[in-house]
Amino acid sequence: MYEHPDCRIKLARNEDNYDLLFVQEIRRYFPFTPFVGARVRNDFVWSNCLFKRNTLVLLDVYGIDHDSRLWKKPYEFQPERFRKWDGNPYSFIPQGGGDHYDGHRCPGEMVVVEIMKVSLGYLATKVNYNVPRQNLTYPLRRIPTLPKSRFIINKVRRIY
Ligand code: HEM
């Protein structure tokens, strides 16, 4: 909302469930979890690639959510792209990929989406605030990651 003030206005209006589009784009664009890791238990071959026992394998979550073969202009923040998203659970993997029931997708995903909708809706409609100078860069090599300054706000005023 800070970097895209137009989104804040759309969120406050929340026409056609804009809040869901906004939340989905946040989860795609920002490195919710940049990668996940697992250790191979037994040798296996997948896609002509041998995974040897005990190898640490990292899944590039951020890379897949920014792959230009899957996403048009992936480095642009465009919530509206989710109006046309085909629902492929392997292209959008902010909380793990595949199916919630028999894949590696986080079962808390729907909870996270609802919490984000409510929290961001509150910030867009119930309060005004200032955002002082700070460092909003985030490292991609730690999980979970977050902005260096977190996100500092001050002079919070309630909107009546
Ligand atoms: C921003 C918040 C969250 C993120 C980024 C996140 C991400 C993930 C990821 C990447 C996995 C691993 C999937 C895998 O490769 O096996 C996972 C698993 C899991 N998550 Fe979340 N999660 C979040 C919030 C939650 C919440 C709120 C809950 C519960 C209400 C939850 C419950 C779980 C559980 C139980 C698993 C293990 C599933 C399994 O191994 O079968 N998560 N999550």
Side-chain angles (χ1 to χ4, degrees):
M1 282 195 286
Y2 172 59
E3 290 176 0
H4 304 276
D6 54 311
C7 292
R8 184 187 160 108
I9 296 166
K10 289 183 191 169
L11 196 56
R13 288 198 197 118
N14 201 22
E15 289 167 0
D16 299 327
N17 295 330
Y18 181 81
D19 58 352
L20 177 61
L21 312 182
F22 186 62
V23 164
Q24 297 295 62
E25 182 67 340
I26 289 174
R27 299 192 317 128
R28 183 197 71 82
Y29 183 90
F30 292 100
F32 234 43
T33 178
F35 56 91
V36 284
R39 201 165 288 280
V40 177
R41 285 200 183 154
N42 298 302
D43 291 6
F44 68 95
V45 175
W46 178 77
S47 249
N48 289 327
C49 183
L50 171 63
F51 290 75
K52 283 193 78 68
R53 191 168 180 270
N54 275 333
T55 307
L56 177 63
V57 179
L58 300 180
L59 174 67
D60 182 5
V61 173
Y62 185 80
I64 292 170
D65 285 343
H66 290 77
D67 190 322
S68 56
R69 290 167 297 182
L70 302 169
W71 303 98
K72 273 190 201 153
K73 300 187 178 168
Y75 290 94
E76 289 184 12
F77 186 85
Q78 297 177 350
E80 277 79 4
R81 72 171 78 240
F82 276 96
R83 281 206 201 287
K84 293 189 206 133
W85 178 49
D86 63 4
N88 181 345
Y90 295 98
S91 62
F92 179 47
I93 60 166
Q95 289 175 239
D99 188 85
H100 289 112
Y101 295 93
D102 60 13
H104 274 274
R105 207 171 189 93
C106 168
E109 190 169 34
M110 295 307 149
V111 177
V112 171
V113 167
E114 290 308 313
I115 290 172
M116 289 177 70
K117 285 196 315 198
V118 172
S119 321
L120 294 167
Y122 180 86
L123 288 174
T125 58
K126 303 289 184 206
V127 285
N128 281 324
Y129 49 86
N130 286 11
V131 180
R133 274 173 67 95
Q134 57 193 288
N135 185 353
L136 293 177
T137 61
Y138 39 80
L140 289 177
R141 58 174 185 222
R142 58 162 284 181
I143 45 172
T145 190
L146 75 177
K148 291 254 169 63
S149 300
R150 281 38 177 178
F151 184 67
I152 303 166
I153 59 175
N154 60 24
K155 299 185 183 156
V156 180
R157 286 95 59 197
R158 193 185 292 273
I159 300 174
Y160 290 102

